[in-house]
Amino acid sequence: MSERRSQVVRHGRVLTAGALSAAPLDFLIEDGRIREIGAPGMPAPADAEHIDAIDRLIIPGLVNSHTHAHGGLGKGAVSDRLPLEVFLTGSGALNGSRTLDDKYLSALLSAVEMVRKGCTAAYDLFVEYPVPSVEGVNAVARAYRDVGMRAVIAPMMADRTLYQAYPGLVDALPEVQRETARRAATAPWAESLKACRTILHNWSFDRDAIRPALGPTIPLHCSDDFLVGCRDLAREFDVGLQTHLAESATQAAVARQRYGTSLTAHLAKLGVLGERFSAAHAIWIDRDDMQRIADAGGAIAHNPLSNLRLGSGLAAVRAMLECGLAVGIGTDATNTSDTQNMFEAARLAAYLSRLRGTDYAQWLSADEAFTLATSGSARVLGFEGRLGTIAPGAFADLVFLDLAHINYVPLRDALLQLVNGESGAAIDAVMVGGRFILRGGRLLKVDEAKLRRDAEAARERLDNANESALRLARALEDWVGAFCFAQARAPGLPRRRVDAD
Ligand SMILES: [Zn+2]
């Protein structure tokens, strides 16, 4: 049996959601969890390690409710001004030719960026095309473990290509390009489910640290049989299921054509919505859809960065909250939002809510944005009450910010200065489960110089290997874009988004 490990953190100012001021508080950590919070000078066991947090603002580690490990090696690879479907046209080629080492490296890059920007846990849907493999999933899990982060990791899967998902798309392409589109293929759904069963059955990582989940990527790209199979597997192994729901107007429009109903109503009919279900984006949904997800106990991962980058739209977060929905904040992948910065994502969530109407009582407050980026996201990951909060029983996953940094000089309102002004620049230390993984601005578990060398070598090799596939994909992009925008503009489609005002 391992020895009890006690730590006492003294002289810091502690900020948790709902607290309007960062009060001077001490707290006791035992075996990686917060045991007790008290006034400065509170008693602590004589053998407790003393952590001096003088001049430090301590917040719960931010929790990223939606990202993709494969984006780490995709930085700078996605052209400017691409909407979702045009981006998806080239995404297969972008992520092609990757070895297991590349999958590990990409996840490592992504995780390092998150930790450096104050995030200690993430829900990650990573590419495992055409069929998920034990080795691929383990490579991503090892990367998170090696950085020291927590994660829920889900292989991203589909049994339809983009061209099969949108009826009429192939025929809308010039003849010379149709063959390329037709040749694109994914694995049959039964094969993916069989692989997932093996992965879930043999899971060897500590589930409090790295937990498996399922990622049927976009409902339109998955047959009903596949979605139902994922639903059953999630129930059987008690794991999460996350998908990109109604991210674009085109998806919403094509769903109406295909199902005669909204995407969400279709998922409800299939029994996919439930407590294990979370939807990333959910921009093109109405109040009925929101209520369906809320009633089933599902959750939403709001991704303001990529929603803006891809021009997908503004999610109606206030309306979601009014429906009783659990909402977290995510960054989405580095290749579609260019950063894994949860501070920026939280700030944008607050600011974008102001574009939805002039009734400023409806805007998201700094406290609400902070809550969504911490305990809200923890709920999406299935770690409610144990992550995203500084409270007895919660994991000691903490970020220590330097109050001498210019962001906090002078210090007047820590919450406002954090949510509206922090970028991650003031981070001094990050702790997960009572262990520092970053201290004095230095990562303790990763050699960043080696990481850079490995990443540059992989970039060069992969860019060469994927060059011709990318050229083929790029020749299709404008055609796919034209088709998708025509779909989105079809009369009466899609149903109007919810307006908050
Ligand atoms: Zn995504």
Side-chain angles (χ1 to χ4, degrees), residues 367-386:
D367 190 31
E368 285 177 308
F370 187 52
T371 303
L372 298 188
T374 51
S375 54
S377 290
R379 160 71 182 80
V380 179
L381 267 66
F383 280 91
E384 201 171 8
R386 292 189 293 153

Side-chain angles (χ1 to χ4, degrees), residues 66-68 125 156 244 247 280-281 303 306 332-333 336:
H66 180 70
T67 185
H68 304 276
L125 272 61
M156 202 162 80
H244 297 83
E247 179 175 354
H281 304 282
N303 298 277
S306 75
D332 216 347
T336 54

Side-chain angles (χ1 to χ4, degrees), residues 23-370:
L25 290 170
D26 288 356
F27 55 95
L28 192 63
I29 301 170
E30 211 163 85
D31 292 332
R33 287 178 188 253
I34 311 280
R35 168 77 186 268
E36 196 184 334
I37 303 174
M42 68 181 276
D47 62 347
E49 177 197 352
H50 180 262
I51 297 169
D52 190 357
I54 195 157
D55 264 345
R56 296 290 175 265
L57 176 66
I58 306 172
I59 62 169
L62 302 176
V63 182
N64 190 347
S65 61
H66 180 70
T67 185
H68 304 276
H70 53 264
L73 267 174
K75 275 184 201 144
V78 176
S79 312
D80 203 6
R81 300 192 299 177
L82 290 190
L84 178 69
E85 283 77 12
V86 180
F87 158 71
L88 290 175
T89 307
S91 64
L94 269 181
N95 299 317
S97 315
R98 291 198 184 182
T99 63
L100 278 178
D101 286 347
D102 294 329
K103 291 177 183 180
Y104 172 82
L105 178 61
S106 195
L108 203 65
L109 286 162
S110 194
V112 163
E113 187 176 353
M114 282 190 263
V115 170
R116 282 214 160 278
K117 295 171 182 174
C119 173
T120 53
Y123 203 136
D124 188 327
L125 272 61
F126 54 96
V127 161
E128 269 291 277
Y129 285 152
V131 181
S133 67
V134 172
E135 297 78 13
V137 174
N138 285 350
V140 173
R142 276 193 293 111
Y144 276 108
R145 185 197 62 194
D146 291 353
V147 173
M149 267 184 80
R150 292 183 210 278
V152 175
I153 63 170
M156 202 162 80
M157 307 175 284
D159 65 337
R160 287 189 188 127
T161 66
L162 177 72
Y163 306 101
Q164 292 163 341
Y166 293 169
L169 173 55
V170 172
D171 294 332
L173 303 175
E175 202 170 332
V176 65
Q177 313 285 10
R178 284 182 206 158
E179 206 36 47
T180 307
R182 283 203 187 96
R183 268 203 309 269
T186 59
W189 61 267
E191 233 178 277
S192 293
L193 287 181
K194 191 175 160 209
C196 286
R197 173 175 289 284
T198 305
I199 290 162
L200 294 172
H201 188 73
N202 296 306
W203 193 252
S204 61
F205 294 85
D206 172 7
R207 282 173 189 250
D208 277 344
I210 321 279
R211 184 178 290 190
L214 299 170
T217 179
I218 298 170
L220 282 173
H221 295 222
C222 300
S223 64
D224 288 355
D225 285 337
F226 190 22
L227 290 167
V228 166
C230 287
R231 174 202 71 187
D232 292 345
L233 212 52
R235 280 183 192 159
E236 185 182 340
F237 287 91
D238 192 20
V239 297
L241 185 160
Q242 190 172 89
T243 189
H244 297 83
L245 181 69
E247 179 175 354
S248 70
T250 304
Q251 285 179 5
V254 173
R256 290 231 156 244
Q257 291 164 3
R258 173 177 287 168
Y259 307 121
T261 179
S262 73
L263 268 173
T264 312
H266 185 66
L267 293 183
K269 202 174 97 191
L270 296 178
V272 172
L273 309 182
E275 286 179 1
R276 296 176 190 83
F277 174 83
S278 55
H281 304 282
I283 299 166
W284 296 88
I285 68 174
D286 60 19
R287 273 186 191 266
D288 290 343
D289 287 336
M290 292 175 190
Q291 205 58 60
R292 285 183 179 101
I293 302 170
D295 291 347
I300 303 280
H302 172 44
N303 298 277
L305 282 160
S306 75
N307 292 352
L308 287 177
R309 164 70 144 106
L310 300 173
S312 302
L314 300 176
V317 178
R318 172 63 64 204
M320 291 172 184
L321 296 173
E322 284 172 355
C323 288
L325 259 169
V327 180
I329 291 179
T331 57
D332 216 347
T334 312
N335 58 352
T336 54
S337 37
D338 308 283
T339 179
Q340 296 281 284
N341 194 322
M342 280 294 296
F343 288 111
E344 283 183 20
R347 177 158 56 251
L348 272 180
Y351 286 179
L352 281 174
S353 71
R354 291 152 209 215
L355 297 181
R356 295 196 61 89
T358 51
D359 179 1
Y360 53 91
Q362 295 289 311
W363 298 352
L364 289 187
S365 67
D367 190 31
E368 285 177 308
F370 187 52

